[in-house]
Amino acid sequence: MPQQKDIVKIAIQMPGAYPQLIQLDQKKPLSAVIKEVCDGWNLPGPENYALQYADGVQTYITESNRLDIKNGCILRLTKAPGRCAEDLFRGIQSSDSGVRCDSLKELASVSTDVTFAQEFISRDGHLLLVKIVEDSHESNVIMTHTLTGFMELMDHGIVSWENLSTVFIKKIASFVNAKPTDASIQQVSLDILESMVLSSHSLFLQVKQEVTMERLIAHLQVTNQQIQTKAMALLMALLQTAGDSDRQVCLQSDVNKEMIAVYLLQNIIHSSGSVQDEMAHYLYVLQSVTLNHLEPRMRTPLDCYSQEQRDILHGLRQAAFETESDNSLSNERRRSLCAKEFKKLGFSNNSNPGQDLVRTPPGLLALDTMFYFASRYPDAYSRFVLENSSREDKHECPFARSSIQLTLILCEILRIGEPPSETGSDYHPIFFSQDRLMEELFCVCIQLLNKTWKEMRATQEDFDKVMQVVREQITRTLSSKPTSLELFKNKVNVLNYSEILKLRQTERLHQEETLAPPVLELKERLKPELLELIRQQRLNRLCQGTMFRKISSRRRQDKLWYCRLSPNHKMLHYGDVEEDTDSPAIETLQEKIPIADIKGLLTGKDCPHMKENKGKQNKEVLDLAFSITYDVEEYSLNFIAPSRTDFCLWTDGLSVLLGREMSSESMRSELEILLSMEIKLRLLDLENVPIPDSAPVVPKPPSNYNFCYDFSQTEQ
C-alpha cells in the first residue's frame, strides 16, 4: 500500500463530462493513471490522451514534472502531445486556407509547452513553418500565426538558430524593413531578429546587414507601443553585440540622435514624462552603452612622453595667456614662465602638470573636457582663468584641479564605466537631445562651479566643500529630468548655494529633533505599538502580493511571476503570470509553500541565485535579491525585487512570519515618521481645551434617510 505522501488528491476535467475526483498515486506509471481516467469515461485508446493543467500555464503532465502536482490541482484530459502535433502538422499542409489558419493559430498557442514542441520539431514541423515564410504566399493573418508559432518553438532551445537559411533571414528582415504593414507581423519579426542577434555573432552580422539602424529608430516614432518596445530591444541587442567602433558609428550619427530625441518628445514628454517600464530600461541601457565609450579615456593616465598630450597641455596654457614668443626666450626663462602660467591655471605640479592627470579615473578624460571647454567656448574659458588669476591666492578657484574633480564627479553621476544593470531604468532625457553630453555638461558645470565658489566666498581649504555643493546641484537638477541642455543650465543656475542651504535645512528639520528626557521616555513607550502597526502593514502587503521579473538576457517581458501570502498567513502562493495580469487571484497561483516549512531568509550575495551567477551581478541587483529556504534548507525560492521599497517590504514581512525582528532601512524610516507624528500629537498644546470624562451621547437616528446619495444610480 502506497504511503500517504505519495498520494495526491486532484480533480480531472473533460468537456461534456462530469469531473473525476481521484487520488493520484505518484508511484504508478502515468500511462496507467490515464488509462484509469479514460475507463472512468468509457474512452477507447488511452494512448491518444494526456493530462495537462487546466488553469494558468496549461503544461502537459509528464513523468519528469508529475511530482510538481499538488493537492487540490485541477487537471484536464486532452489529446496527447504526439497526436496533437500530428494533427496540426497535417492541418498546416491542408489545401483549405481556413483549416491552415486554424491549425497555425492553435500551434502558436500550444507551442509554449516544451513537450509538444519536442513532438512537433521531431516531425520537422519547424522546417514546414520556415518554408511557409520563405514562400510568403499566405495572408497576413496566417503569416502572423506562422511566425508566432515558430518563435515559440525556437524559444525552447531544441534546435539551433544557426541552421536557418539566408533566404529565411532576408524574408524576416523584409517584414521589419517594410513601411506600413501588419503590426502583428512586424512585432514577432522584431522578436525573431533579436533572438538571432543574441544567439551568435554570424547571425548578428547577417541581421546587421539586412536591417539598418535608421529603419529601427524610425520604428520608435510609431504609435504602437509594442513595436516601439521590440524595436528598441533589437536595437539594444545589435548595439550590445557590436564592437566599440561599430557601436559609436551608429550612435554618434546626428540623424540617429535627432530621431531618438523626436521619439522622446512625442512619447515621453507629452505624456507627463511617463514611459513603459520595458522601454525605460532600454533607454537606460542605450544611454549606458553610449556613455561607456568614454571609459578607456577615463582609465588611461596621461603619458608624459606623448608629444600630442603635451601639446594639448601647452595649448590650454597658450589659450589662456598671451605670452611672448617662445623663440625669443631662454630655456630657463621659458620654463619659469610656463611654470608660473600652469600654476595660474590651477595645476598642483606646475613644473610637470601632466602629473596631475596620472590619477585614474578621470585620467585623460579630464584633459579632454578641459580642452573641449577651451576650444568650444574660448571666451568663457579665458574669463574663468583670468578672473581667478586676479584674486588673492587663497581665494582663487583652481581651474585644472576643479576640472579634474568635476570630471570625476560627472563620471560617477552618469555611471560611466559601470555595466548597465539588468533592472535599471534611470535614464536622462537630456542624453537623447544632446551630442557629446559629457563634454557639454562639463562646460556648463565648470562655470557653475566658479559661480558657486564666489557665492561661498571659498578659499583653497574649502575646495572639498565646494565640490560637495556642486555635486548636489548637478544631482538635484538631473533628478528633475531636464529634456535639454538649455533647460538643465537654467535650472542648475537657479539652484544656487543659498537654495541648497535652504533645502538642506528643510530636510534636516524633518530628520532631526532635539528631545527632552521625558519625551525620550514617551518615545520608547510608543515604539512597541508602532512596531506592531508596521508588522501588520507588512503582512497585509504580502497578502496583496507582488509581481517579480525573472532576470534573463532577452524576452524579459515574457518572464514574470507573482507571489502572495494567504489571508490566514499560513501559506505562500506563487506562479508564472502574463505581463498584462494586474493582481491574479490566489487560486490561479499553482505553487505554494507552507510558512511552517520556511527555514531561513537570505539576502544579497548569500542568495543561491546570486552565488550561481557570481561575478555577473552588479551591486544594484545584489541589493534587490533575497531568497527563502525550506524543507531542511534543500530548496529555495529566489526573488529579485522590482524596487528597493518592495525588497524592504518583503524581507520585513518574511522576518515577521519567521518570528524575527524587522531590520530594513524602510522600517526604521517609517518608525521614525510615526514616532514623530505620534509625539507631536501627544504634545499638542491642550490648554483651555476641556476633555470630557465620558463619551458623548449618541443622538437618535433620523426619521428618514432621504439625504443619502444613491450610488447605484448612474449619473448621466
Side-chain angles (χ1 to χ4, degrees):
M1 183 165 178
Q3 297 181 12
Q4 189 64 32
K5 66 179 181 180
D6 297 324
I7 301 298
V8 182
K9 298 178 181 179
I10 59 173
I12 300 180
Q13 298 176 338
M14 188 182 75
Y18 289 108
Q20 294 187 40
L21 300 176
I22 69 169
Q23 292 188 352
L24 173 62
D25 184 357
Q26 291 286 30
K27 291 190 174 181
K28 184 182 292 186
L30 198 57
S31 57
V33 175
I34 294 173
K35 184 178 185 309
E36 290 178 5
V37 173
C38 289
D39 291 343
W41 280 317
N42 297 320
L43 296 175
E47 66 277 2
N48 293 322
Y49 294 93
L51 295 173
Q52 65 179 186
Y53 290 106
D55 300 320
V57 181
Q58 298 173 356
T59 308
Y60 277 104
I61 304 299
T62 63
E63 292 291 353
S64 61
N65 66 15
R66 62 182 295 176
L67 294 178
D68 296 334
I69 302 174
K70 307 296 182 185
N71 277 320
C73 276
I74 301 176
L75 305 182
R76 179 175 58 194
L77 188 69
T78 186
K79 284 194 293 187
R83 177 186 165 194
C84 182
E86 186 65 35
D87 291 348
L88 292 180
F89 187 79
R90 292 175 181 173
I92 292 170
Q93 301 178 80
S94 172
S95 58
D96 187 330
S97 61
V99 173
R100 290 200 306 277
C101 184
D102 291 341
S103 298
L104 287 165
K105 182 179 180 180
E106 185 178 351
L107 174 70
S109 174
V110 298
S111 293
T112 57
D113 184 88
V114 65
T115 307
F116 169 83
Q118 290 169 337
E119 291 286 348
F120 192 77
I121 290 174
S122 69
R123 293 166 171 77
D124 289 335
H126 62 296
L127 299 180
L128 180 60
L129 301 183
V130 170
K131 188 175 186 308
I132 293 174
V133 174
E134 290 177 346
D135 294 342
S136 193
H137 298 317
E138 299 289 0
S139 65
N140 285 347
V141 174
I142 290 180
M143 187 59 68
T144 300
H145 295 322
T146 302
L147 293 172
T148 304
F150 174 80
M151 185 65 209
E152 294 294 348
L153 290 170
M154 296 298 291
D155 202 35
H156 295 294
I158 300 171
V159 293
S160 172
W161 285 94
E162 296 193 56
N163 296 331
L164 298 174
S165 67
T166 304
V167 176
F168 178 82
I169 296 172
K170 287 180 178 290
K171 183 60 67 174
I172 298 296
S174 71
F175 294 145
V176 172
N177 290 330
K179 291 185 179 178
T181 186
D182 187 89
S184 299
I185 291 180
Q186 284 197 330
Q187 286 178 35
V188 69
S189 296
L190 287 165
D191 235 352
I192 292 172
L193 291 180
E194 181 200 359
S195 296
M196 289 181 185
V197 169
L198 293 171
S199 64
S200 77
H201 188 69
S202 60
L203 286 175
F204 155 73
L205 295 175
Q206 293 185 61
V207 174
K208 176 190 168 188
Q209 185 177 359
E210 297 297 330
V211 182
T212 64
M213 191 67 63
E214 282 71 19
R215 187 65 199 136
L216 282 180
I217 297 176
H219 280 304
L220 299 179
Q221 300 176 72
V222 301
T223 56
N224 188 311
Q225 287 191 336
Q226 287 296 321
I227 288 183
Q228 289 175 349
T229 303
K230 293 184 182 300
M232 186 61 85
L234 178 54
L235 182 64
M236 286 293 86
L238 287 167
L239 291 175
Q240 289 179 290
T241 309
D244 288 340
S245 58
D246 290 340
R247 184 183 303 134
Q248 293 316 310
V249 168
C250 295
L251 292 177
Q252 292 302 328
S253 165
D254 291 342
V255 175
N256 290 348
K257 294 293 282 284
E258 182 180 348
M259 294 182 78
I260 294 179
V262 168
Y263 160 75
L264 282 166
L265 288 171
Q266 291 179 342
N267 297 279
I268 300 176
I269 303 165
H270 291 171
S271 59
S272 303
S274 62
V275 65
Q276 276 185 309
D277 289 344
E278 195 71 19
M279 186 61 78
H281 172 76
Y282 290 134
L283 293 172
Y284 155 78
V285 174
L286 176 59
Q287 169 189 290
S288 179
V289 168
T290 309
L291 287 174
N292 276 351
H293 82 280
L294 298 171
E295 183 179 8
R297 300 291 287 179
M298 183 182 75
R299 305 289 184 194
T300 306
L302 184 137
D303 182 3
C304 296
Y305 296 100
S306 169
Q307 185 62 45
E308 179 187 358
Q309 294 172 16
R310 290 206 307 269
D311 289 344
I312 293 175
L313 277 172
H314 284 284
L316 289 172
R317 177 183 61 83
Q318 291 167 354
F321 307 103
E322 293 182 5
T323 58
E324 302 175 42
S325 173
D326 289 346
N327 295 329
S328 63
L329 300 174
S330 64
N331 288 338
E332 185 178 349
R333 171 64 178 158
R334 187 186 302 115
R335 283 195 298 270
S336 175
L337 182 61
C338 287
K340 181 180 178 182
E341 290 176 345
F342 277 125
K343 182 179 180 182
K344 288 182 179 180
L345 269 178
F347 285 96
S348 301
N349 191 329
N350 50 30
S351 60
N352 187 5
Q355 291 297 317
D356 288 27
L357 295 162
V358 170
R359 184 180 58 156
T360 58
L364 286 177
L365 188 56
L367 182 63
D368 295 341
T369 53
M370 285 191 284
F371 184 72
Y372 183 87
F373 178 50
S375 56
R376 183 83 168 83
Y377 303 99
D379 292 341
Y381 171 66
S382 298
R383 188 165 54 250
F384 185 110
V385 177
L386 296 176
E387 179 183 331
N388 284 285
S389 298
S390 62
R391 294 178 186 167
E392 296 179 35
D393 286 348
K394 68 174 184 177
H395 284 291
E396 66 179 13
C397 177
F399 172 74
R401 184 185 177 193
S402 300
S403 297
I404 294 169
Q405 190 63 26
L406 177 61
T407 303
L408 179 60
I409 288 173
L410 288 174
C411 288
E412 292 172 352
I413 292 174
L414 297 176
R415 299 184 168 214
I416 297 173
E418 294 184 23
S421 161
E422 288 275 6
T423 56
S425 59
D426 187 17
Y427 67 94
H428 300 295
I430 188 177
F431 165 80
F432 298 92
S433 64
Q434 183 63 53
D435 286 334
R436 305 199 70 168
L437 176 66
M438 176 68 181
E439 292 87 345
E440 290 292 341
L441 273 182
F442 173 85
C443 293
V444 173
C445 295
I446 192 66
Q447 297 175 76
L448 168 73
L449 190 151
N450 189 40
K451 173 173 168 284
T452 303
W453 186 281
K454 289 185 289 185
E455 290 170 352
M456 295 178 66
R457 295 182 175 85
T459 63
Q460 295 293 329
E461 290 76 15
D462 299 320
F463 181 83
D464 290 338
K465 293 180 182 178
V466 175
M467 298 312 297
Q468 288 175 4
V469 173
V470 171
R471 177 192 286 271
E472 191 171 341
Q473 288 172 313
I474 298 170
T475 305
R476 287 182 184 272
T477 304
L478 284 177
S479 66
S480 68
K481 301 292 183 184
T483 54
S484 69
L485 187 68
E486 191 62 30
L487 191 56
F488 172 83
K489 184 177 180 180
N490 294 336
K491 286 187 173 184
V492 81
N493 281 299
V494 169
L495 194 61
N496 54 34
Y497 179 55
S498 62
E499 287 297 319
I500 291 290
L501 290 179
K502 289 178 184 177
L503 289 170
R504 287 179 175 178
Q505 181 66 18
T506 302
E507 292 169 358
R508 191 178 297 114
L509 288 174
H510 286 296
Q511 296 173 357
E512 298 178 358
E513 290 180 13
T514 304
L515 302 176
V519 179
L520 289 173
E521 184 180 347
L522 175 61
K523 187 176 180 180
E524 291 302 315
R525 289 186 180 182
L526 292 173
K527 268 187 181 180
E529 178 183 349
L530 297 178
L531 279 171
E532 182 58 29
L533 182 64
I534 296 175
R535 290 190 193 98
Q536 291 303 317
Q537 185 272 338
R538 296 296 195 260
L539 294 177
N540 291 339
R541 183 62 183 79
L542 264 59
C543 289
Q544 294 175 15
T546 301
M547 185 88 72
F548 294 93
R549 191 177 293 278
K550 295 181 180 178
I551 300 300
S552 62
S553 60
R554 61 184 178 88
R555 305 197 76 198
R556 301 168 65 254
Q557 64 271 29
D558 295 334
K559 298 183 178 180
L560 299 170
W561 63 290
Y562 203 87
C563 187
R564 65 191 303 175
L565 180 66
S566 62
N568 62 5
H569 303 168
K570 292 185 178 181
M571 200 74 66
L572 209 58
H573 296 260
Y574 65 97
D576 292 344
V577 293
E578 298 297 331
E579 176 115 23
D580 54 356
T581 306
D582 186 12
S583 180
I586 201 166
E587 296 80 12
T588 63
L589 302 176
Q590 300 174 2
E591 308 293 335
K592 55 187 176 182
I593 299 174
I595 298 301
D597 290 349
I598 298 178
K599 304 300 179 184
L601 172 64
L602 305 174
T603 60
K605 61 184 179 182
D606 295 328
C607 298
H609 56 315
M610 294 295 102
K611 290 180 179 178
E612 292 170 4
N613 298 309
K614 188 175 182 181
K616 299 181 180 180
Q617 304 293 353
N618 58 25
K619 185 177 184 301
E620 187 174 349
V621 175
L622 285 173
D623 287 343
L624 299 176
F626 63 98
S627 304
I628 56 173
T629 57
Y630 56 97
D631 284 346
V632 200
E633 300 187 5
E634 292 183 4
Y635 303 99
S636 65
L637 184 62
N638 303 315
F639 302 76
I640 298 289
S643 65
R644 188 64 187 176
T645 301
D646 288 298
F647 174 89
C648 294
L649 289 171
W650 273 85
T651 52
D652 282 347
L654 291 169
S655 296
V656 172
L657 292 171
L658 295 174
R660 302 176 183 175
E661 293 294 327
M662 299 179 291
S663 59
S664 73
E665 67 266 22
S666 178
M667 180 278 297
R668 290 191 293 270
S669 173
E670 290 170 20
L671 179 61
E672 285 301 319
I673 292 172
L674 292 172
L675 280 170
S676 175
M677 292 174 60
E678 188 68 23
I679 288 172
K680 287 175 182 177
L681 285 172
R682 297 200 179 202
L683 297 180
L684 282 175
D685 187 2
L686 299 178
E687 188 176 357
N688 298 324
V689 178
I691 301 177
D693 295 328
S694 58
V697 179
V698 178
K700 293 181 180 180
S703 57
N704 62 70
Y705 293 90
N706 296 335
F707 58 87
C708 292
Y709 183 80
D710 187 4
F711 285 95
S712 64
Q713 299 295 323
T714 305
E715 292 185 353
Q716 299 297 325

